[in-house]
Structures are given as C-alpha cells and as structure tokens.
Amino acid sequence: MMDTNTIRAVGKSRLAVTPLGFGGGTIGSPAIGNEASFATVAAAWETGVRFYEERRIGVVIAAPYASGWLADPSGSATYMYAPAPPEVVARSERMHAICEDHGVPLAAAALQFPLAHPAVATVIPGAKSPEEPVASRRNLDTEVPDDVWRRFKAEGLLEENAPTP
C-alpha cells in the first residue's frame, strides 16, 4: 500500500509537502460562499492536508490553527478548461471500467498514479465542499490492486515503463 502520510521533499529544495494537497481554485468561485469555503478548508485540514496551493487559504488556516502554510509565491494561478478530445474520453471510460471490475474508484487510481513517480511530491485536487477533501483522503488511502495497473499497461492506457504504486 502506498504511504500517504509521510512528508515528501520537493526536488532538491528544503521544501517538503504532504502527499495530498488542496487546490483552492474551486472555492474561489463566486458560486461558493465563504461559509462553504471555510468548511471545505477545515475538512481538508482534518484529513491531514498541510499543503495548500492558494495564498488566500492561509487566512482560513492562520486563525484557528496558527500553523504555517505554503503557497504559490505569486499568489495567483490561471486555470484553463477545454473539452476533452474523444480519444481521451474513451481512455477514461476504459480505465473507469477496469477500476469498477476491481471494486475501486477511478479517483483512487487517479490520485495515486502521479505519486508513484519519483519527481512528484504531492497531488493537489480542488474541492468545493467539505465532503470532497474527505473523499480525496479516502481515495488516496484506498488500496488499488496491482492487477489494475497491469491491465492499464496491457491495454495501452499507461506506458509500459510508467511507475505505478
């Protein structure tokens, strides 16, 4: 099972992060109120998240927890969304089916896969409700059977030499 709690170094720097971070772009939406945003960040904190990618989240953390937080030095991020091409949708559907065959959520494989690469220190899913960081922690801690990774590779969904958990 993947170690989802040990702090990881970021490259050769002195910076170290938790394997599961928190992406704050979604709670910055005008559709998400302050109360929901604060509850979402608090839920992430309760699951053990200590890496937050948006500077404004520090306001939420600093008050009740008085603990350090990490942010993009510029304090800003740009997000771009585009529809996925049909071949990407087909790959995703196939991966989802393989995960379903093994009784694991695709989200568990999606969060764990990048962490298997030695250059990756953290994954940073966004969340817009208190349930989402809890689900991310659960997915990160869900055991993904080796056969899932083997099938992904056998069906050409992952490169044969891709590191897997």
Side-chain angles (χ1 to χ4, degrees):
M1 178 168 237
M2 176 178 280
D3 177 1
T4 61
N5 296 307
T6 301
I7 303 295
R8 296 170 171 222
V10 176
K12 295 180 180 180
S13 74
R14 296 183 332 190
L15 181 63
V17 295
T18 53
L20 180 62
F22 181 90
T26 52
I27 63 170
S29 164
I32 309 296
N34 283 341
E35 187 176 316
S37 294
F38 279 40
T40 302
V41 173
W45 183 271
E46 292 303 316
T47 68
V49 171
R50 299 296 184 269
F51 179 72
Y52 298 83
E53 61 94 29
E54 292 280 341
R55 184 185 313 211
R56 67 179 168 244
I57 294 173
V59 173
V60 177
I61 295 171
Y65 303 108
S67 178
W69 54 278
L70 303 171
D72 175 308
S74 72
S76 65
T78 302
Y79 299 94
M80 182 173 71
Y81 299 96
E87 62 274 13
V88 172
V89 173
R91 286 174 79 98
S92 176
E93 289 171 351
R94 187 69 199 122
M95 292 175 115
H96 184 78
I98 290 169
C99 283
E100 274 188 350
D101 290 348
H102 289 84
V104 296
L106 179 59
L111 282 174
Q112 293 177 33
F113 174 68
L115 288 171
H117 195 285
V120 176
T122 188
V123 290
I124 309 173
K128 61 182 180 286
S129 72
E131 295 78 23
E132 290 181 17
V134 172
S136 290
R137 168 50 67 185
R138 185 175 51 252
N139 284 319
L140 195 60
D141 290 338
T142 295
E143 182 149 1
V144 177
D146 289 340
D147 192 48
V148 169
W149 306 112
R150 280 192 291 273
R151 285 188 59 194
F152 283 173
K153 290 179 178 186
E155 296 191 25
L157 300 168
L158 290 179
E159 294 291 328
E160 193 59 40
N161 63 348
T164 54

